[in-house]
Amino acid sequence: MNLLLYGAPGSGKGTQANMLREHFGIPHIATGDMLRAEIQAGTELGRKAQPILAAGQYVSDAIMIGIVRHRLGEPDCTPGFIMDGFPRTVPQAEALDDLMHELDKRFDRVIYLKVPVDDLLHRLSGRLVCPQCQRTYPPGTAACAADASVLVQREDDKPEAVRPRIEIYLEKTVPVLDHYRHGRLVSEIDGRGTIEEISSQVLTAVASKNGQPARAAHAAVKKQKA
Ligand code: AP5
Ligand code: MG
């Protein structure tokens, strides 16, 4: 099972990826988390990436493609994976096509979490993150449910970085959706319900084979059960 989560900053990719990881027992490949781990470890890549992330800009395609190529070659990806945050540009999408072809893999579904910009701004400004395991939480959460760490704000959730992140998403990442729409792989989900409601729609969409809208697929499943 190879899944791709697509959506704007704050649309809930990480939140739903955690649910899918637990549900299917396959790794969550989050390029943003990988970059933040490099920054935390003080590697050369981390030192280069830190000011780029803090400004809400994108790390170069060549670097990102190299990171993903290496990660997808690791043995835990053999049964499947959940990709989050990549591809973010059309050249990244084209490189991922080539890589998937080389590895003889294909995506089973692309989940597009669609959330209006005002909601994104609200979510990002209040988001809390576990500095140890990177799980994200809504405002007001006291500690990480997994390891009890004190939660912090992500550097790029500060007001000066949030707008540039949305702008670069609109310019460079929105065209990536068309790349996958041609292959009828995309399930578009209104990402504004509760986390549990969205999770249920994501699971229904993953189970659908033909890219029909998640709500329609959900209704079809309910009808079958009745
Ligand atoms: P990355 O870490 O991927 O950030 P992002 O795409 O901006 O997405 P976020 O992680 O901010 O949001 P999310 O969709 O995961 O939402 P979440 O589930 O946390 O990338 C960071 C940076 O790394 C980039 O800006 C770039 O610099 C660099 N980078 C990474 N990949 C790159 C690439 N391929 N190429 C170039 N550069 C790259 O949810 C957000 C909040 O909302 C949370 O508080 C959550 O609890 C809450 N929430 C979730 N669902 C709901 C709901 N249904 N209702 C209410 N609240 C909800
Ligand atoms: Mg995320």
Side-chain angles (χ1 to χ4, degrees):
M1 169 82 68
N2 302 315
L3 300 173
L4 198 157
L5 287 174
Y6 173 93
S11 57
K13 302 182 296 296
T15 303
Q16 297 304 329
N18 273 320
M19 177 279 293
L20 289 166
R21 182 175 53 80
E22 281 165 20
H23 190 88
F24 291 109
I26 51 177
H28 170 202
I29 301 179
T31 47
D33 290 353
M34 290 161 85
L35 290 168
R36 283 185 288 278
E38 296 282 341
I39 293 171
Q40 213 168 5
T43 65
E44 192 188 337
L45 170 59
R47 282 196 296 277
K48 275 191 200 156
Q50 190 277 332
I52 301 174
L53 267 73
Q57 298 303 308
Y58 285 175
V59 173
S60 77
D61 287 340
I63 290 178
M64 296 314 301
I65 292 164
I67 290 176
V68 169
R69 169 176 284 279
H70 180 261
R71 182 67 186 89
L72 285 188
E74 288 180 325
D76 64 328
C77 293
T78 304
F81 57 86
I82 304 147
M83 186 70 86
D84 159 8
F86 186 96
R88 264 177 148 92
T89 64
V90 171
Q92 289 182 16
E94 290 168 352
L96 185 57
D97 283 350
D98 292 344
L99 183 55
M100 295 289 280
H101 184 72
E102 267 174 50
L103 295 168
D104 198 21
K105 290 178 187 288
R106 61 175 194 86
F107 281 108
D108 295 283
R109 191 124 301 277
V110 176
I111 305 288
Y112 170 27
L113 299 171
K114 191 175 179 189
V115 177
V117 169
D118 282 352
D119 296 64
L120 297 172
L121 294 172
H122 177 72
R123 285 188 192 181
L124 291 174
S125 61
R127 169 171 56 187
L128 294 166
V129 185
C130 173
Q132 296 305 320
C133 69
Q134 312 269 349
R135 281 184 175 80
T136 56
Y137 295 92
T141 314
C144 177
D147 54 37
S149 299
V150 174
L151 304 176
V152 297
Q153 187 181 40
R154 239 168 72 172
E155 197 179 359
D156 61 349
D157 282 347
K158 294 185 176 146
E160 59 276 21
V162 166
R163 285 253 172 219
R165 283 167 65 201
I166 306 264
E167 278 162 18
I168 199 167
Y169 165 81
L170 295 173
E171 185 197 336
K172 302 239 162 125
T173 309
V174 165
V176 170
L177 195 57
D178 283 338
H179 185 86
Y180 291 103
R181 279 211 162 112
H182 292 312
R184 296 174 56 86
L185 276 178
V186 179
S187 290
E188 185 172 312
I189 291 175
D190 181 343
R192 284 176 297 180
T194 65
I195 290 173
E196 292 73 22
E197 283 166 356
I198 308 305
S199 295
S200 157
Q201 291 185 53
V202 167
L203 288 172
T204 303
V206 168
S208 80
K209 291 283 174 214
N210 55 5
Q212 59 185 313
R215 278 188 193 284
H218 196 56
V221 169
K222 273 169 111 176
K223 204 172 154 193
Q224 268 175 13
K225 280 187 184 162

